[in-house]
Amino acid sequence: GRLKEGVTLAQANAEMAAVADRIAKANPRSNQGWSARVESLKNDWLSDNFKLTLWLFLGASGFVLLIACVNIANLLLAKGMTRQKEIAVRTAIGATRRDIFVQFLTESLILAILGGALGVGLGYALMSGIMAAMPFNTLPGEAVVRLSVPVLLATLAATTLAGLLFGCAPAWYSSRVNPADSLKEGGRSGSGRIHNRLRQLLVIGEFALALTLLGGAGLAIHSFWNMTHVDLGLATDHVLTFVLSRSNAMNWKPEQNAAFFQQIIRNIESVPGVQSASAGTDFPLRGPGFMLPFAISGQPDAADSAHRPTAGFSMATPGYLRTFGVRLVKGRTLTDTDNASTLHVAMVNEQFVRHFMNGKDPIGQVLNVAQIDPNSPKAGPPSPWVVVGVFHDVSGWMYDRKIDEIVVPFEQVPWGGALVGVRTAGDPDAMRKSISKAVHAIDPTLPLSNVATLDQIHDERLVGDRFTLLLYVGFAVLALVLATVGIYGVMAFSVGQRTHEIGVRMARGAGRDHVLLMVLQESALLACVGSVLGLGGAYLVGRAMHSMLFGTGTFDMTAFSAVSALLLLAALFASYIPARRAASIEPMRALRSE
């Protein structure tokens, strides 16, 4: 809502508290103890990890921009070398160093502005593609993604500033050319060596930036690999799941709800091809049905339920473990004899035993768990449950955090709606119609909602991580391509500048293999130095990504070694063509070239 003019948050909160109090008095069973709060609408709908992801993508964009700028600076330096005589002539006829500097800086600025303008169009197309590929519900409904005027102006300003900064070094170098040396036939000034050093330093910096991005992508890939190979504690294949929610369930007695779902499960299990079925308030990969406070008989108990430990509390029909392929570790599973008239029993998972049983045998222990009422959102006084079985830990909705679980018979706490899992002998998708018919034979008006296989649910959990991974890899591939192009340009120009030297080496007996190896060694050295420097940046990126990683540290040698090797191979690949060109130089032609 929008506050009226002159109304403060404190006034609105006081009014809402009064409204909530009137509702609680009118509906004490459902609203007693509940209130309302008014707060400002702000950017609090994005998780911390999502905000961090956006900052990392912004940083990756900056790194790609820097790598591109280094490439441009190298190209401008190379271009300046080829225009030494032109600059010398301009200087001889009266051009000042300032004039030469301004000319080269203007050329780089024009390139930057034209590139920025082209990038706006490409950015719009890329944004449309990313939004189309983005998984549903990745962004909240409040977020409006578009190319805004401030963003466009900031982008153009960044490219213009990049053109100024990275055009200064080539412009400065070109303005310092000695016209007398350049006009001499075959003259080579000592500044060429400084020029080569500068280009090599730029390439080293380019590879350091590229390894930083590749290191982040390597960590994301390793983390995603760990997610896809984590032990879920269950078998996701051949399981169809859906939700059954009865609109008039509030009008039915608990025993009627229990009998209804018991009949539903029997009908489903009678379908040819169905191996087992189970209904409950939860199934694996969906998270717990409830989180309730509990106490264990014989152990110290907090007087206030708010300070008691909590565990996931779910109800399930017999066949729960078999349907989802969960292993029974100790004791027994739930059976048809566990009903409303028998002893209240429960199963717990291994993590529950580790956390709360203090090394004691869990079988026979009594758990006092807060009662739940389908007609009330508040938990009631505790009731006792005897532990009869322990099952293997099952992954919930979080890969890196399993929860303590308590599972009790559905018939002992019947619910008006249920999540149903069906294990089939064949393709579960092919059995949707026959299973639906079995349900509708009991109640033709009952819809099957959220129908999906357990494999599909598992895949859905990875959609967001997969999309983030693709973006990381996209930035890393772009950085790798730019770095490869950069070292190719440097080595190709270096070979062209060293034609005379290579000719002398070959005239004195150096073989083609020697020349080929010499050029490859130079590029490999640049890549190795850049990679070593880039490891520091990759470590910092790993620290920033720490909360988003699963099963890998901030300095993952497996990932960093792999991306370093990839970067080295890219450098060797990029320098192979210039190296072959150098090895094919004819000595006499090279000696005549200057």
Side-chain angles (χ1 to χ4, degrees):
R2 184 175 296 278
L3 291 179
K4 291 181 179 179
E5 292 293 334
V7 177
T8 65
L9 279 178
Q11 292 172 323
N13 264 311
E15 185 173 343
M16 286 302 299
V19 171
D21 186 57
R22 289 197 298 270
I23 296 175
K25 288 178 179 178
N27 304 275
R29 185 176 181 184
S30 60
N31 285 71
Q32 189 66 42
W34 293 85
S35 186
R37 182 176 66 249
V38 179
E39 61 182 18
S40 296
L41 179 65
K42 56 184 179 180
N43 185 20
D44 58 357
W45 51 78
L46 294 179
S47 66
D48 290 339
N49 273 354
F50 195 86
K51 292 177 185 177
L52 176 60
T53 300
L54 293 178
W55 280 111
L56 288 172
F57 286 153
L58 181 62
S61 302
F63 273 52
V64 171
L65 175 63
L66 284 175
I67 294 172
C69 288
V70 170
N71 271 350
I72 295 299
N74 261 324
L75 291 173
L76 291 176
L77 281 171
K79 189 67 175 176
M81 283 289 292
T82 62
R83 297 172 65 182
Q84 285 190 24
K85 290 188 177 180
E86 173 201 337
I87 297 167
V89 172
R90 289 179 181 272
T91 304
I93 62 177
T96 64
R97 286 184 175 179
R98 180 179 179 277
D99 295 331
I100 301 299
F101 182 85
V102 170
Q103 176 191 343
F104 274 77
L105 194 58
T106 302
E107 291 176 1
S108 64
L109 266 177
I110 291 173
L111 288 175
I113 292 172
L114 291 176
L118 178 61
V120 169
L122 292 175
Y124 180 80
L126 184 61
M127 184 192 72
S128 300
I130 289 176
M131 293 302 296
M134 186 176 291
F136 180 68
N137 279 342
T138 299
L139 290 176
E142 295 88 346
V144 179
V145 181
R146 65 177 183 272
L147 285 181
S148 62
V149 173
V151 171
L152 293 180
L153 292 177
T155 303
L156 290 174
T159 54
T160 303
L161 183 62
L164 279 171
L165 292 177
F166 286 86
C168 281
W172 177 84
Y173 173 78
S174 299
S175 68
R176 307 289 295 178
V177 169
N178 189 323
D181 287 340
S182 297
L183 290 173
K184 291 178 183 178
E185 183 67 26
R188 296 180 297 276
S189 65
S191 60
R193 182 174 298 175
I194 299 175
H195 173 270
N196 288 334
R197 294 297 183 198
L198 179 58
R199 286 189 296 107
Q200 289 174 348
L201 287 174
L202 287 174
V203 169
I204 289 173
E206 186 175 18
F207 268 83
L209 292 172
L211 184 75
T212 300
L213 276 181
L214 284 168
L219 290 174
I221 291 172
H222 196 183
S223 174
F224 187 78
W225 169 268
N226 291 338
M227 285 183 182
T228 57
H229 290 77
V230 69
D231 177 19
L232 298 177
L234 71 156
T236 61
D237 60 307
H238 297 92
V239 178
L240 185 71
T241 66
F242 52 89
V243 177
L244 295 179
S245 182
R246 304 167 69 196
S247 58
N248 60 344
M250 300 280 286
N251 302 324
W252 291 75
K253 294 180 180 179
E255 58 271 19
Q256 291 176 311
N257 283 326
F260 175 82
F261 281 103
Q262 193 177 49
Q263 193 174 5
I264 288 284
I265 295 302
R266 279 201 298 265
N267 262 30
I268 292 174
E269 289 183 330
S270 67
V271 175
V274 171
Q275 294 180 336
S276 66
S278 177
T281 55
D282 165 44
F283 54 71
L285 306 182
R286 286 288 194 189
F290 306 93
M291 293 296 295
L292 296 177
F294 70 92
I296 301 176
S297 295
Q299 293 188 13
D301 180 27
D304 184 4
S305 62
H307 295 89
R308 290 173 185 159
T310 60
F313 187 84
S314 307
M315 296 81 84
T317 62
Y320 173 81
L321 298 187
R322 182 187 174 199
T323 300
F324 294 105
V326 181
R327 180 167 55 87
L328 181 67
V329 177
K330 190 173 186 179
R332 68 172 179 88
T333 185
L334 306 179
T335 66
D336 290 326
T337 59
D338 298 320
N339 52 49
S341 61
T342 61
L343 180 70
H344 281 200
V345 298
M347 296 188 301
V348 296
N349 66 340
E350 291 175 296
Q351 178 159 292
F352 185 97
V353 174
R354 287 193 299 270
H355 282 177
F356 302 112
M357 292 300 176
N358 299 325
K360 297 180 180 178
D361 185 358
I363 306 301
Q365 297 289 330
V366 178
L367 310 178
N368 297 303
V369 186
Q371 296 182 47
I372 51 175
D373 184 344
N375 300 319
S376 174
K378 299 180 69 177
S383 61
W385 301 86
V386 179
V387 177
V388 296
V390 179
F391 60 92
H392 184 54
D393 291 334
V394 176
S395 175
W397 71 99
M398 297 285 286
Y399 282 101
D400 57 345
R401 184 166 60 90
K402 291 180 171 62
I403 63 170
D404 309 301
E405 290 189 76
I406 303 171
V407 179
V408 302
F410 188 85
E411 285 195 44
Q412 294 184 346
V413 191
W415 217 248
L419 302 159
V420 180
V422 182
R423 176 163 293 278
T424 63
D427 181 12
D429 272 319
M431 300 195 63
R432 290 192 183 199
K433 288 186 178 180
S434 55
I435 292 173
S436 178
K437 287 181 181 179
V439 173
H440 290 154
I442 306 299
D443 185 350
T445 65
L446 189 62
L448 279 67
S449 58
N450 298 335
V451 182
T453 67
L454 208 56
D455 280 331
Q456 290 170 342
I457 294 172
H458 181 214
D459 190 61
E460 285 175 8
R461 294 177 67 192
L462 299 172
V463 166
D465 297 294
R466 186 182 293 112
F467 178 72
T468 303
L469 173 65
L470 289 176
L471 290 181
Y472 276 125
V473 171
F475 277 113
V477 168
L478 185 56
L480 181 63
V481 170
L482 288 174
T484 303
V485 170
I487 200 166
Y488 170 80
V490 167
M491 299 313 299
F493 185 78
S494 177
V495 168
Q497 291 294 106
R498 297 172 64 185
T499 300
H500 186 79
E501 174 200 337
I502 293 171
V504 171
R505 287 177 180 271
M506 297 184 73
R508 296 181 61 182
R512 298 185 186 276
D513 291 341
H514 175 79
V515 173
L516 181 70
L517 186 61
M518 178 185 69
V519 177
L520 291 177
Q521 280 179 337
E522 181 180 348
S523 63
L525 179 62
L526 295 177
C528 288
V529 174
S531 297
V532 171
L533 295 177
L535 286 176
Y539 171 72
L540 294 177
V541 170
R543 288 192 62 179
M545 296 174 61
H546 178 68
S547 62
M548 304 164 56
L549 299 176
F550 176 74
T552 181
T554 56
F555 195 85
D556 186 345
M557 283 306 300
T558 301
F560 290 167
S561 299
V563 298
S564 298
L566 179 63
L567 205 56
L568 179 60
L569 288 175
L572 294 176
F573 173 77
S575 58
Y576 179 71
I577 296 177
R580 282 196 60 184
R581 188 181 303 152
S584 62
I585 290 175
E586 292 294 335
M588 295 308 297
R589 184 179 296 177
L591 292 174
R592 293 193 201 103
S593 65
E594 299 189 26

